[in-house]
Amino acid sequence: MTYLFNQPSAFAAELIEGFVAANADKVRQVPGGVVRSTRSQPDTVAVVVGGGSGHYPAFAGLVGQGLAHGAAMGNLFASPSAQQIYNVARAAHNGAGVLLMFGNYAGDVLHFGQACERLRAEGIACEVLAVTDDISSASVSEREKRRGVAGDLTVFKAACAAAEAGYDLAAVLKLAQHANERTRSFGVAFSGCSLPGATHPLFEVEKGRMALGMGIHGEPGIKEDDVPRADVLAEIFVDRLLGELPPDIGSPAGQRVAVILNSLGSVKYEELFVVYRRVAQLLAEAQLQVVEPDVGEFVTSFNMAGASLTLMWLDDELETFWRAPANTPAYRKGSVIAAEPLSAAECVESAEEPLPEASAESQESAQRVLHMLEAIAAMLQRNAQQLGDIDAVAGDGDHGIGMERGSLGAVAKARDVAARGAGAGSLLCRAADAWADKAGGTSGALWGVALTALGTALGDQQAPDAQRVANGVLHAKEGIMHFGKARPGDKTMVDVLVPFSDSLNAAVAKGKTLTDAWLEAAQVADQAAQATAQLLPKMGRARPLAEKSLGTPDAGAISLAMVVNIVGGLLKEPATTTEQGA
């Protein structure tokens, strides 16, 4: 269990504060994470990595000379929001573009993708790369679906060294893709982990057993077996990894490899060295040349008991960058000439972005939107446990708490900007950023997309009318399907959003008022949410346990139906300018 913490909800924020205080010669805190506190070469590519907290040294521990320029840090096991990533990337940018790198998890893919689009829209060249090294998480034919685990380090290291060497953005991305294609990992877990304040582990492995291929957040592995002797585990690792060579490697004999034997949190260094003794023997027997191996903690899962082995198959270019010097809080290699620290003036962050001017009508509408957000948050607080229980059937059980955190964050931001005179559109867009920021994960990203689409459609000059609201919902549907890649039938919130949007837009097209059209569509949403009980999930963490979810509706679909019904009830209150133009 986790012993040392204050308030569990403050743990992630407090660990960042302490991490920066302990490593101020290398990193400084910015909204959303950390960046280097030393000067980088101007007009070079900045590499920003990131993901959920709880995986130290990933990701903040890898920020420094020779490695990452910044790290976006989400809550425990939750992806950072697009706003956090954007903030870190802006602070890290050196003038030659930004490469965003992360493990291949749905929430990270969504948030980093959104941040990339925002940076590009502002004229900053940006690319993304999701690491896919975990061979247990998908077949070779579906390699793009694989998770990123300890192979994050080898791919990050190659890309960051290329950026340090002066490669342009296209060349850094190409090198990172090459490193990813040549990196393979396989892991096992002996027990779960307990997050601060939790009374029981996030997931469990039966005593005396190990889960082969379990993910770093407790995602299901491929099978369970008895815990073996150290030599047998080494043989499992090596056999699995040598069983899948990169396409351009014909035979392992004579090849050079970078090797990482990684502890997932509570397996100690002495145990790892016992395992590595046999790993080294086996690689030598396969006639492989090991180049600067690393044994220790690199990508952990809080206090999870387990280990993984990573191989990156080297060529001359990859070996050069693997050997290149680095100096970060958690990873040091070779000798680095210390860079000049940034001045205090250079570390001052810009003030909050000003609000666009809004008409009196839109400011009045913003107050009603705020009232709706407050009602949504109160409802989600009441139902957080129920939503979590639904999600736990085949997922990780965090949907309720994520929705609660997201909605409360949105309300806090909405109150702030409403007091500053925001219009309805700006209020929703700022609330969207806060929802995604506080909720984290895939759900937070998608609700951020939805609220942003609504806010953009409403704008800050006119009172919302039925057509603008319907258009906003339509754009929310399109945005969520674009970023989330889900389609009707995949057992996600899309199974409710599509029929809700279609019904709302059809009713408005027939001349119905916003209230009547919304209430009619809300009934459709309720029916669609309940119908997801008969679907099998095809997306996200529930996919490997699809059969378990049959007969239980999707938590995201249920929460969306709850939200649209709360809004419908509020729309029935005495008519305001929201009804004008309907």
Side-chain angles (χ1 to χ4, degrees):
M1 64 183 294
T2 305
Y3 296 97
L4 300 177
F5 56 91
N6 295 309
Q7 291 296 323
S9 59
F11 188 87
E14 291 179 347
L15 78 85
I16 296 174
E17 185 179 347
F19 168 74
V20 171
N23 297 283
D25 61 324
K26 298 179 181 68
V27 299
R28 64 186 178 94
Q29 187 170 1
V30 296
V34 297
V35 295
R36 294 185 189 181
S37 60
T38 55
R39 194 180 309 282
S40 296
Q41 190 68 25
D43 297 319
T44 56
V45 173
V47 179
V48 171
V49 303
S53 298
H55 301 300
Y56 192 85
F59 296 89
L62 304 179
V63 175
Q65 287 181 257
L67 248 164
H69 296 78
M73 302 171 66
N75 214 321
L76 293 175
F77 290 5
S79 62
S81 70
Q83 182 67 41
Q84 290 176 297
I85 299 160
Y86 167 82
N87 290 340
V88 173
R90 281 295 302 265
H93 183 225
N94 296 317
V98 180
L99 176 61
L100 304 175
M101 302 184 71
F102 48 93
N104 189 33
Y105 299 91
D108 292 308
V109 171
L110 283 166
H111 286 172
F112 279 90
Q114 290 172 350
C116 179
E117 290 198 358
R118 184 170 174 184
L119 290 164
R120 288 174 176 171
E122 294 188 3
I124 297 176
C126 186
E127 299 289 348
V128 297
L129 185 133
V131 179
T132 55
D133 59 302
D134 184 0
I135 68 171
S136 67
S137 54
S139 65
V140 174
S141 62
E142 294 186 310
R143 189 158 180 264
E144 73 283 354
K145 296 182 179 179
R146 287 179 170 176
R147 303 180 289 241
V149 287
D152 282 357
L153 175 58
T154 62
V155 183
F156 293 172
K157 179 67 170 61
C160 294
E164 206 89 345
Y167 280 31
D168 65 19
L169 181 57
V172 173
L173 174 62
K174 183 177 179 181
L175 192 280
Q177 292 168 334
H178 180 51
N180 189 42
E181 289 165 359
R182 279 179 162 236
T183 299
R184 304 285 188 276
S185 298
F186 186 81
V188 300
F190 312 122
S191 73
C193 61
S194 299
L195 300 185
T199 58
H200 56 275
L202 189 63
F203 50 88
E204 295 183 356
V205 179
E206 185 180 345
K207 188 175 181 179
R209 304 278 286 176
M210 70 174 179
L212 284 82
M214 175 176 275
I216 57 176
H217 308 98
E219 300 93 337
I222 52 178
K223 70 173 185 177
E224 288 194 4
D225 208 340
D226 292 335
V227 176
R229 291 182 297 111
D231 281 1
V232 175
L233 179 58
E235 290 160 9
I236 292 171
F237 280 156
V238 174
D239 286 348
R240 293 278 183 174
L241 294 181
L242 296 191
E244 187 190 309
L245 303 179
D248 59 344
I249 302 285
S251 167
Q255 298 291 331
R256 294 162 290 166
V257 288
V259 181
I260 295 175
L261 182 60
N262 174 61
S263 166
L264 288 169
S266 63
V267 173
K268 306 310 296 179
Y269 276 76
E270 290 86 348
E271 298 171 89
L272 293 176
F273 289 133
V274 172
V275 175
Y276 189 74
R277 159 193 159 275
R278 182 58 179 152
V279 167
Q281 293 172 356
L282 293 167
L283 295 177
E285 289 172 9
Q287 301 179 53
L288 288 167
Q289 178 186 344
V290 175
V291 177
E292 297 189 0
D294 282 318
V295 177
E297 293 184 354
F298 302 100
V299 178
T300 64
S301 186
F302 224 73
N303 59 352
M304 180 176 175
S308 64
L309 184 68
T310 297
L311 300 181
M312 178 169 70
W313 300 81
L314 300 172
D315 54 22
D316 290 346
E317 187 176 38
L318 288 176
E319 181 173 345
T320 296
F321 291 137
W322 176 244
R323 290 181 180 272
N327 183 30
T328 78
Y331 191 83
R332 296 176 177 84
K333 178 173 285 196
S335 179
V336 172
I337 299 174
E340 181 184 351
L342 294 170
S343 67
E346 290 173 302
C347 294
V348 175
E349 300 301 318
S350 59
E352 186 175 2
E353 185 181 354
L355 292 167
E357 295 228 0
S359 69
E361 280 185 312
S362 188
Q363 289 176 334
E364 182 181 342
S365 297
Q367 294 295 329
R368 191 171 192 204
V369 172
L370 170 59
H371 178 52
M372 290 179 175
L373 288 172
E374 290 170 336
I376 289 168
M379 179 275 294
L380 290 171
Q381 281 185 288
R382 294 192 301 271
N383 290 279
Q385 183 63 52
Q386 175 193 349
L387 293 170
D389 291 344
I390 294 172
D391 187 39
V393 172
D396 50 17
D398 66 351
H399 182 73
I401 189 65
M403 291 291 286
E404 180 181 0
R405 287 173 178 165
S407 60
L408 290 172
V411 166
K413 176 57 70 173
R415 286 172 178 162
D416 171 54
V417 296
R420 293 164 51 201
S426 289
L427 183 142
L428 274 171
C429 288
R430 300 299 174 86
D433 286 341
W435 188 308
D437 188 7
K438 298 300 183 183
T442 307
S443 176
L446 296 179
W447 274 92
V449 169
L451 295 181
T452 299
L454 277 168
T456 302
L458 296 186
D460 292 323
Q461 296 306 312
Q462 297 174 296
D465 62 23
Q467 189 59 62
R468 272 193 291 277
V469 172
N471 286 341
V473 172
L474 174 62
H475 294 153
K477 177 190 77 171
E478 293 170 345
I480 284 175
M481 293 177 70
H482 168 71
F483 283 107
K485 309 303 182 186
R487 295 292 179 267
D490 287 348
K491 195 164 188 173
T492 69
M493 67 186 297
V494 167
D495 290 298
V496 170
L497 183 55
V498 168
F500 174 75
S501 174
D502 292 349
S503 174
L504 178 66
N505 276 272
V508 169
K510 292 177 182 176
K512 293 192 175 182
T513 66
L514 175 58
T515 299
D516 289 344
W518 190 284
L519 290 172
E520 185 177 306
Q523 291 183 335
V524 172
D526 269 337
Q527 295 165 3
Q530 295 303 321
T532 61
Q534 305 310 314
L535 299 175
L536 292 175
K538 300 176 184 176
M539 302 284 290
R541 294 181 187 174
R543 181 171 58 88
L545 298 176
E547 297 294 336
K548 286 186 65 176
S549 78
L550 194 61
T552 301
D554 177 68
I558 292 293
S559 62
L560 175 56
M562 288 177 169
V563 168
V564 299
N565 274 280
I566 283 289
V567 172
L570 294 173
L571 287 173
K572 287 194 295 184
E573 292 179 355
T576 69
T577 52
T578 307
E579 287 290 292
Q580 293 177 8

